[in-house]
Amino acid sequence: MRRCSSGFLPVTRHLVTTVPWWDTVDLLAAHVVGALVAADPALGAAMDAWAGDDDLWLVRAALLHQLRHKERTDAGRLFAHCLRQASHEDFFVRKAIGWALREYARTDAAAVRDFLAREGHRFAPLSVREALRNIGA
């Protein structure tokens, strides 16, 4: 089976920004971008840039790219991206923060609980509620 190389990331960026809606962005983030970053950790710097972009769909893709990484999740990067966008006004970004944290909580619930105990006040209630949905407070 053929796989995309890290050179495919600009194509995904183009798709995320020109065909922006949650269903397209979420699939690209979790299945394409996440796989590219897992195969080439140097692409993490691009995710850091996307996480701070003005385009809400790039932000959402950066937040969600580690959804399938489980124990390979870079928790520091995940938490940093969430904090960077904690006050974002958009529903899709707030929901992505909660979803990304909830998915990581399946692997390390204590880390997510500790993170939210320290920083939860910075997030919208939607993000916190989504993050804690399966693990409680």
Side-chain angles (χ1 to χ4, degrees):
M1 181 165 121
R2 295 175 57 120
R3 295 184 183 255
C4 297
S5 70
S6 56
F8 194 70
L9 191 65
V11 174
T12 60
R13 185 185 198 288
H14 175 76
L15 292 171
V16 164
T17 58
T18 59
V19 189
W21 196 240
W22 67 266
D23 54 351
T24 307
V25 172
D26 294 359
L27 285 171
L28 286 169
H31 297 282
V32 179
V33 177
L36 292 172
V37 175
D40 183 358
L43 294 178
M47 293 302 96
D48 296 343
W50 287 18
D53 201 275
D54 290 335
D55 186 299
L56 75 97
W57 300 110
L58 283 176
V59 171
R60 185 172 171 99
L63 288 164
L64 299 179
H65 84 277
Q66 295 190 82
L67 280 181
R68 299 176 66 207
H69 288 192
K70 299 184 185 331
E71 66 280 341
R72 294 177 294 119
T73 299
D74 179 341
R77 176 166 273 133
L78 171 62
F79 295 155
H81 289 177
C82 290
L83 282 172
R84 189 169 189 182
Q85 294 299 337
S87 63
H88 202 286
E89 296 292 323
D90 189 84
F91 167 83
F92 289 104
V93 172
R94 290 176 173 193
K95 185 83 169 181
I97 289 168
W99 183 17
L101 292 172
R102 181 177 71 240
E103 194 60 32
Y104 183 55
R106 294 176 189 268
T107 300
D108 192 346
V112 172
R113 273 194 207 100
D114 291 347
F115 172 69
L116 289 174
R118 285 189 319 274
E119 305 292 350
H121 65 282
R122 298 175 62 180
F123 293 98
L126 169 67
S127 299
V128 174
R129 187 172 58 250
E130 286 294 315
L132 297 174
R133 185 188 313 171
N134 295 329
I135 62 171

